[in-house]
Amino acid sequence: MLRAISFLFSFFLILPLVSQEQGSGGNYFQAVDEYKIGNYNRSTEILKKMNEEGKGTFETYALLSYGFDKMNDFENASLNFAEARRRNPTNEKISVDSLALYIKYKKWKPGMELAEKFVSNFPTNGDIRYYYAITLHQRGAGKVALGQIEKAKAQNPNDARYLELEGKIYQSLKSFDKAEISLRWASTLSQNSSSIWNNLALVQEAQYRIVSKIGKKSEANSYLDDSKKSIEKAEELDPNSEIIKENAKRIKSISS
């Protein structure tokens, strides 16, 4: 449903470094180097020891969070993110990535509760509202989610992620005309997104079936043609997706 969420290590390249006066700067640099080459176990071991020795900082807890996430350890990643936020509550990046972690592991309810707090703290951050909208949508509050997307779009109206999610929410609410508008707009901004083209094909398929039932053959066939073109585009972009293959097989089997 969602595009893969990944945390960017470049974030740590601009963070203040651990104090050399603590005698821990070298250890931190070592943990950074181990992380960069994918030795996440070693990186987390170094950081955990620093924290246990009372040398922990915002940076060590933040990097530890990313390391645990790389090892698919949600519990420890979320705990260390919480400690990093406690040490630097005004850092928007760590708050955004904390929410991304909850989305990645589909922790919808606690993610929604966390997002509610962050929206108040960072009201102009579109990414926070985007993740908040995802959790609301997953919890069945689609109309409320749309309100959050509108506010996110006010900050960046041309973010394809916001438009794709908006389209999916309208789709779930069976407002297919609005869903198509959002997804078409998203497809112009992110033409190489297989998920956008796949979702657009599904919406157009639904429109075909609705119009076909009321006997508007010409209009129905137009929607069907659009659906076939959209799913073909999705197939070109991601030929290995089983979901897209299944949708393509069904849509292409429909006769005009």
Side-chain angles (χ1 to χ4, degrees):
M1 185 197 87
L2 303 171
R3 73 179 189 177
I5 295 173
S6 61
F7 299 125
L8 302 178
F9 178 76
S10 58
F11 173 51
F12 289 96
L13 302 183
I14 60 173
L15 284 173
L17 298 177
V18 177
S19 172
Q20 295 288 340
E21 295 178 1
Q22 290 179 303
S24 55
N27 290 336
Y28 178 72
F29 286 131
Q30 184 183 355
V32 168
D33 289 340
E34 296 289 354
Y35 181 98
K36 288 171 69 175
I37 62 175
N39 289 340
Y40 306 121
N41 275 310
R42 179 57 181 153
S43 179
T44 56
E45 287 175 3
I46 294 168
L47 294 165
K48 284 166 62 178
K49 185 176 180 181
M50 289 177 66
N51 294 342
E52 290 167 359
E53 293 174 348
K55 299 173 183 176
T57 65
F58 164 70
E59 290 84 4
T60 63
Y61 282 102
L63 183 53
L64 194 54
S65 304
Y66 290 86
F68 277 123
D69 173 61
K70 289 291 188 180
M71 295 188 291
N72 298 313
D73 186 340
F74 168 79
E75 294 300 329
N76 278 311
S78 60
L79 287 172
N80 282 282
F81 266 131
E83 179 60 23
R85 294 196 310 271
R86 187 186 71 79
R87 290 169 178 264
N88 191 349
T90 62
N91 189 294
E92 290 190 44
K93 171 66 175 174
I94 208 71
S95 296
V96 169
D97 285 351
S98 295
L99 282 180
L101 181 79
Y102 280 80
I103 301 302
K104 177 181 176 181
Y105 289 92
K106 299 182 179 181
K107 306 293 184 179
W108 308 125
K109 184 177 180 181
M112 182 179 68
E113 293 169 350
L114 194 63
E116 287 174 346
K117 297 178 183 178
F118 291 165
V119 164
S120 298
N121 294 337
F122 310 108
T124 62
N125 190 300
D127 284 343
I128 287 175
R129 291 192 182 276
Y130 168 69
Y131 290 133
Y132 187 23
I134 291 174
T135 62
L136 288 166
H137 173 48
Q138 291 295 329
R139 297 281 293 169
K143 292 182 179 179
V144 181
L146 287 172
Q148 292 300 319
I149 289 295
E150 280 301 315
K151 292 177 180 178
K153 284 165 59 182
Q155 302 300 319
N156 190 351
N158 293 321
D159 191 318
R161 295 174 305 156
Y162 303 165
L163 292 161
E164 181 180 11
L165 178 58
E166 182 179 65
K168 288 180 66 64
I169 295 171
Y170 277 129
Q171 181 182 359
S172 71
L173 296 173
K174 301 188 183 305
S175 297
F176 298 115
D177 289 346
K178 291 181 177 179
E180 185 183 21
I181 291 171
S182 297
L183 290 168
R184 279 192 179 277
W185 186 3
S187 71
T188 64
L189 297 170
S190 183
Q191 297 182 20
N192 295 322
S193 170
S194 61
S195 65
I196 291 175
W197 288 106
N198 178 67
N199 289 328
L200 182 56
L202 295 179
V203 167
Q204 291 163 335
E205 179 191 10
Q207 290 171 307
Y208 157 76
R209 296 187 185 283
I210 291 170
V211 175
S212 183
K213 284 182 180 179
I214 58 178
K216 295 184 178 181
K217 186 175 180 180
S218 177
E219 186 177 352
N221 287 340
S222 178
Y223 281 127
L224 180 57
D225 288 343
D226 286 343
S227 180
K228 290 181 178 180
K229 290 176 184 176
S230 295
I231 201 64
E232 285 174 359
K233 182 69 174 179
E235 278 189 299
E236 290 175 8
L237 292 167
D238 190 358
N240 297 318
S241 169
E242 293 301 324
I243 292 175
I244 292 175
K245 286 180 183 178
E246 182 179 333
N247 290 336
K249 182 178 179 181
R250 182 186 67 256
I251 292 170
K252 290 179 179 181
S253 70
I254 302 172
S255 299
S256 300

